[in-house]
Amino acid sequence: MDIPWQLQVLFQMLLSWTLVANGHLEFPFLSLSTGHTSSPHNEPSDAGKFVILPKVVGGYSITIAQVPFQVSVRRRSMHERTYGLGLICGGALISQRVVCSAAHCFAVNNSYNPVRFYGPKLFVVVAGSTQIDQADRNTKEYLVQQIIGHSDYNATTLENDIALIFLNGYVSWSSKTVRAIPLATKAQREGTTCLINGWGKVTVVGKSGSLQQAPVPILNPSLCRAIYLLPMSQLCAGFMQGGIDACQGDSGGPLICDGQLAGIISWGVGCADPGFPGVYTNVSYFVDWIRSMNATLDYSKYLVMDSADGRRLATSPQRTWWLALAFLLIALSGG
Ligand code: ARG
């Protein structure tokens, strides 16, 4: 971009001002206008004045063979009921058993000090698939043995928004639609054009969710700091004029620069809105964390999980008690 970043900040400030004044501005965790909370999680909460588009915004369709490390993380209970439902987040395979994704995809809401993460049995990871709701012979499904969310994940600032998903089995390299992506160990240069992928949100049964991709340039760190007060562990990428961005449901997915995993889709204000680029976890900042966490994983173990686990977990113990009570009352009333 030829405009100096100071000017861009000015433009951005004027713009956000106008947006706030007109009641348009929406943050992922505090809504300034619409009175609802638009969480960075994937609950259906995005009903602001900006229409949040259902997929990577401004992108194009690709096939999984072009990005064989891309996976989707799904809620197992929904996934087992209807294939294609339950999308939570994206992720990227970084080894034969480890997927890198975002911590906010797995954090128990409002858990602070220490932050708690959901158990591994609730999730399933799908690799080698272009369509969210269609499996073919290259599609591989994995249960999860362990989820390691960053212990300093901050649900307010979304700092340290990184998690490792330890698969309950090895992915096989025999399929050419499943591969790992190497980690970027150095910070990206400003202006580097990187790629993002994702399926975005799929809410309607049978609706096709085809994998999307979009190019996003790495923005000047001072510009990112000025817009979002970003620390070094986060970076921002995208277009100041808007139009192309990641969106809800893409979180956890990779930001790919020069064929390496440089970022993790984390958050943004709205999607593809002018003045608000996407925010990503800076992977090069977390390489040591990734390596040390990987070293704690026990590669000799597999969890024994039967396929009914997901459904059983979907039935809450409370509901079981209420049912028992209802039966008892019916029995007592001589029915
Ligand atoms: N937090 C969103 C999710 O959970 C992804 C947000 C990315 N947003 C953006 N404007 N770049 O899927």
Side-chain angles (χ1 to χ4, degrees):
M1 229 169 278
D2 335 301
I3 320 159
W5 70 263
Q6 287 88 346
L7 258 182
Q8 292 186 34
V9 172
L10 197 71
F11 159 75
Q12 138 72 29
M13 275 165 38
L14 278 172
L15 189 88
S16 54
W17 226 65
T18 331
L19 290 177
V20 173
N22 292 317
H24 283 287
L25 188 55
E26 202 192 309
F27 280 90
F29 20 82
L30 90 154
S31 164
L32 296 180
S33 59
T34 49
H36 73 275
T37 313
S38 165
S39 73
H41 309 274
N42 295 302
E43 274 72 65
S45 58
D46 33 12
K49 296 208 172 158
F50 282 129
V51 180
I52 295 183
L53 296 171
K55 285 176 205 153
V56 165
V57 181
Y60 43 85
S61 293
I62 52 161
T63 70
I64 195 69
Q66 295 169 262
V67 287
F69 42 81
Q70 175 82 34
V71 301
S72 58
V73 182
R74 309 178 188 196
R75 199 176 312 251
R76 203 173 148 203
S77 55
M78 286 170 87
H79 169 81
E80 281 173 2
R81 236 174 273 140
T82 313
Y83 190 89
L85 288 193
L87 175 71
I88 292 173
C89 273
L93 269 169
I94 58 169
S95 81
Q96 263 179 300
R97 274 189 79 176
V98 181
V99 165
C100 189
S101 187
H104 82 254
C105 306
F106 308 101
V108 175
N109 278 344
N110 307 318
S111 64
Y112 295 94
N113 300 314
V115 57
R116 283 177 298 116
F117 294 98
Y118 286 112
K121 287 186 175 188
L122 294 175
F123 306 99
V124 59
V125 171
V126 179
S129 194
T130 301
Q131 302 290 130
I132 197 78
D133 57 355
Q134 275 167 39
D136 59 39
R137 62 197 162 82
N138 294 318
T139 303
K140 304 272 186 272
E141 256 184 62
Y142 299 90
L143 294 176
V144 179
Q145 179 163 332
Q146 194 181 337
I147 287 170
I148 304 184
H150 199 293
S151 53
D152 295 324
Y153 162 66
N154 183 323
T156 308
T157 61
L158 270 88
E159 274 171 79
N160 306 309
D161 193 10
I162 184 167
L164 298 184
I165 306 170
F166 190 43
L167 302 179
N168 203 37
Y170 280 87
V171 306
S172 144
W173 289 168
S174 63
S175 154
K176 58 178 192 308
T177 56
V178 185
R179 284 286 179 283
I181 182 173
L183 302 175
T185 50
K186 285 194 233 95
Q188 302 306 307
R189 255 182 309 116
E190 175 191 347
T192 308
T193 299
C194 305
L195 295 167
I196 51 172
N197 317 311
W199 285 274
K201 203 191 307 185
V202 178
T203 49
V204 188
V205 184
K207 195 180 155 188
S208 117
S210 205
L211 184 57
Q212 299 288 298
Q213 180 171 76
V216 285
I218 300 287
L219 295 174
N220 183 306
S222 313
L223 173 65
C224 301
R225 212 170 305 134
I227 301 171
Y228 290 127
L229 298 168
L230 293 191
M232 288 305 290
S233 62
Q234 293 173 317
L235 56 86
C236 81
F239 298 90
M240 289 305 286
Q241 67 269 35
I244 300 180
D245 195 7
C247 200
Q248 266 63 36
D250 294 322
S251 282
L255 172 78
I256 310 141
C257 305
D258 302 319
Q260 299 179 326
L261 182 66
I264 301 164
I265 299 175
S266 180
W267 62 281
V269 170
C271 294
D273 296 334
F276 299 100
V279 181
Y280 300 80
T281 306
N282 181 356
V283 168
S284 66
Y285 189 89
F286 290 99
V287 168
D288 289 342
W289 181 84
I290 294 172
R291 290 189 178 145
S292 66
M293 289 303 136
N294 182 48
T296 69
L297 298 170
D298 185 349
Y299 278 77
S300 70
K301 270 198 197 134
Y302 297 98
L303 267 183
V304 179
M305 291 194 266
D306 63 81
S307 63
D309 267 347
R311 237 154 305 173
R312 217 180 294 134
L313 284 160
T315 318
S316 72
Q318 279 104 315
R319 197 162 91 200
T320 315
W321 280 113
W322 279 116
L323 272 174
L325 191 67
F327 278 123
L328 190 72
L329 285 176
I330 291 168
L332 285 179
S333 66

